[in-house]
Amino acid sequence: KYKIFHDIMAMNYISRCSNQLRRVPLTGLRQLSTSPWSSFEMAPLDPIIGLNEQYQKDDYPSKVIVGVGAYRDDKGKPFVLPSVRKAEKILAEAGMDMEYAGIAGEPRFVDLALEFVYGEDSAALKDGRIQGVQALSGTGGLRVFGEMMRKHGSTTLYLPNPSWGNHKNIFTNSGLEVKNYRYYDADNSSLDFEGMVQDIKSMPAGSIVLLHACAHNPTGMDPTLEQWKELSSVIKDQDLVTFFDCAYQGFASGDAAKDAAAVRMFVEDGHLISMVQSFSKNFGLYGQRVGALSVVGRDADEAKRVVSQMKTVIRPMYSNPPRHGARLVTTVLEDPQLTAEFREECKGMADRIHTMRGALRDALENAGSIRDWSHITDQIGMFAYSGLSNEQVLEMRAKHHVYCTGDGRISMAGVTSDNADYIANAIHDVSK
């Protein structure tokens, strides 16, 4: 009896130990299940973000990156606006809570964002015909707009050729068919306004046409006010849906009202536009993901109904936006003194970019280049569309360790007083 009892107890003990071993997460002690990830291939590097990863791995001491669209001071360092630092201190001392925002975000931020771009004196804004929501910077607002429009019957969106590299991905993933209209004349490094108008005139009624409000990315080439006026007329005649992407207000020219002139013109001309704003560049809030998505309705009730549909897209996508960046913008724009300081700081960033355009052009000419580089100073905003081919870009990267995007787009924020000559010599070497 005792032997049988002992044997049973031993077997139970062994069984328990075996079960415990099966639960030990060591591959050497168990066989893994069939992997559901085995067919996953390594995705290609993002053409912009991936560029920074390549740059970080380069140990060349004189390497330069002029690819990523984030402002740097004249020493090549990240720059936080002093007005934003003051706003941070105010918020810290206020002891703000960390509760969820509503689906539409911070209401006061949205109000101030709309005043900033449409103008405090906008009749449409005063009438309540302009309504909006807080967005995850420009990128999030673009995606919400694309999905909302697809859900309500839109099928096609037209982008300028070229456009920001992420535009096509965002709207394709939103379920829209993305087509292009002519925008840039690469042979002459200028705006192809005639081709642009011709293509817009051929768009089917009800199509969405995306316009860069200012500082076109990547070309830096904007229509004149007279050309904007003609575009307003043509787009209205074609019965198109106008969607502005406003990522550089105040950062382009240093004057926020001037940079919003096209948007305000279209609203005054009677367009029922929609628009996305980003506060990454002008406020330097890159990592805070602060933006707004808005619509101009025929009346206040219509605008509110559209916003309600934006919220139905937001809720299952990310539920609600983060609050800190929106609170920073609100704190600045609510305070007249901080607003004045912000405007000066924003102008200071724009002025440095403008100065670096002249420095790079002069350096190219001093390096002996006989090419016409006037487009560098004719363009505006964060980027210079250099005209370098992809082959020249890769050669410059390999020989000189100067990193710009494959289409030759140069972030002027990465050009400094110390490296302008080095960049110019690299460009000249691969383009002569």
Side-chain angles (χ1 to χ4, degrees):
K1 284 183 183 180
Y2 292 109
K3 185 176 186 304
I4 294 172
F5 175 78
H6 180 270
D7 289 343
I8 292 173
M9 293 296 292
M11 290 174 66
N12 287 339
Y13 176 77
I14 293 170
S15 177
R16 289 197 302 272
C17 290
S18 178
N19 288 335
Q20 289 175 355
L21 284 172
R22 291 192 191 100
R23 291 194 291 268
V24 175
L26 297 174
T27 57
L29 298 179
R30 67 172 182 177
Q31 183 176 0
L32 293 175
S33 66
T34 301
S35 174
W37 324 118
S38 60
S39 63
F40 282 46
E41 297 180 356
M42 183 64 72
L45 288 174
D46 181 88
I48 298 175
I49 306 301
L51 186 70
N52 189 57
E53 295 176 12
Q54 295 179 55
Y55 171 79
Q56 294 296 338
K57 294 176 181 178
D58 190 338
D59 58 3
Y60 189 72
S62 299
K63 65 181 180 179
V64 177
I65 185 163
V66 284
V68 180
Y71 182 77
R72 298 290 183 262
D73 64 18
D74 200 43
K75 295 300 181 182
K77 302 298 183 182
F79 177 67
V80 179
L81 277 63
S83 58
V84 170
R85 286 295 192 207
K86 291 179 180 179
E88 277 189 313
K89 185 177 180 181
I90 291 170
L91 290 178
E93 293 175 349
M96 307 290 281
D97 63 58
M98 299 293 176
E99 294 298 303
Y100 289 120
I103 298 173
E106 295 282 315
R108 184 59 180 148
F109 161 75
V110 175
D111 290 343
L112 291 168
L114 301 188
E115 288 179 7
F116 185 67
V117 69
Y118 291 102
E120 295 179 6
D121 297 329
S122 167
L125 191 60
K126 290 180 178 180
D127 291 342
R129 295 196 299 112
I130 304 177
Q131 301 283 335
V133 299
Q134 184 181 334
L136 299 181
S137 196
T139 303
L142 292 166
R143 180 60 181 264
V144 170
F145 175 79
E147 292 206 15
M148 178 184 71
M149 296 304 288
R150 189 259 306 160
K151 285 174 63 178
H152 288 81
S154 293
T155 59
T156 308
L157 180 140
Y158 287 85
L159 294 174
N161 184 25
S163 193
W164 178 48
N166 213 19
H167 271 150
K168 183 176 181 180
N169 296 332
I170 291 168
F171 290 116
T172 299
N173 289 352
S174 298
L176 295 172
E177 180 182 7
V178 177
K179 296 184 179 180
N180 294 111
Y181 61 87
R182 283 174 283 178
Y183 188 86
Y184 191 69
D185 180 353
D187 292 335
N188 296 298
S189 298
S190 62
L191 181 71
D192 183 6
F193 186 70
E194 183 178 343
M196 182 182 182
V197 170
Q198 288 177 356
D199 285 355
I200 290 174
K201 286 182 176 180
S202 68
M203 295 177 188
S207 299
I208 305 167
V209 56
L210 184 145
L211 303 170
H212 294 230
C214 62
H216 178 272
N217 179 2
T219 71
M221 193 66 68
D222 291 345
T224 64
L225 283 177
E226 293 75 19
Q227 289 171 330
W228 277 119
K229 192 68 177 177
E230 184 175 344
L231 288 171
S232 173
S233 177
V234 170
I235 288 172
K236 185 182 284 187
D237 289 343
Q238 288 299 116
D239 195 22
L240 303 175
V241 179
T242 305
F243 181 53
F244 277 101
D245 186 346
C246 185
Y248 298 94
Q249 186 190 356
F251 189 94
S253 69
D255 183 335
K258 181 178 180 180
D259 293 345
V263 171
R264 297 178 185 183
M265 176 194 295
F266 269 61
V267 175
E268 289 172 4
D269 287 349
H271 290 269
L272 302 181
I273 72 166
S274 189
M275 178 177 55
V276 67
Q277 295 166 259
S278 169
F279 291 87
S280 294
K281 307 298 191 298
N282 49 14
F283 273 77
L285 296 173
Y286 303 98
Q288 297 297 334
R289 313 312 293 145
V290 190
L293 175 64
S294 57
V295 62
V296 181
R298 191 172 298 278
D299 53 40
D301 182 66
E302 182 176 77
K304 290 177 181 178
R305 295 200 311 271
V306 176
V307 166
S308 75
Q309 293 299 323
M310 293 177 184
K311 291 163 71 174
T312 67
V313 176
I314 292 170
R315 176 59 174 157
M317 184 184 291
Y318 57 86
S319 192
N320 43 44
R323 304 180 77 179
H324 185 65
R327 285 171 166 173
L328 289 172
V329 174
T330 300
T331 303
V332 171
L333 294 182
E334 275 190 328
D335 185 304
Q337 180 60 38
L338 284 180
T339 298
E341 292 177 21
F342 154 72
R343 292 182 184 276
E344 282 301 310
E345 293 157 5
C346 196
K347 185 177 185 302
M349 292 189 290
D351 288 347
R352 194 188 87 75
I353 294 292
H354 179 74
T355 299
M356 288 301 100
R357 287 184 179 277
L360 183 60
R361 179 180 174 182
D362 290 345
L364 280 162
E365 293 169 354
N366 292 336
S369 178
I370 59 174
R371 293 179 59 167
D372 179 10
W373 297 102
S374 60
H375 56 281
I376 291 178
T377 49
D378 289 342
Q379 295 164 1
I380 191 172
M382 178 77 79
F383 304 108
Y385 211 48
S386 66
L388 294 178
S389 68
N390 182 255
E391 291 75 15
Q392 291 168 331
V393 165
L394 295 178
E395 182 183 358
M396 184 169 67
R397 196 179 300 170
K399 291 177 62 177
H400 302 284
H401 305 264
V402 175
Y403 291 76
C404 70
T405 56
D407 58 359
R409 188 195 76 170
I410 292 174
S411 174
M412 292 305 303
V415 182
T416 69
S417 300
D418 293 333
N419 67 23
D421 287 341
Y422 182 81
I423 295 170
N425 285 320
I427 293 173
H428 174 51
D429 180 54
V430 300
S431 65
K432 61 187 176 182

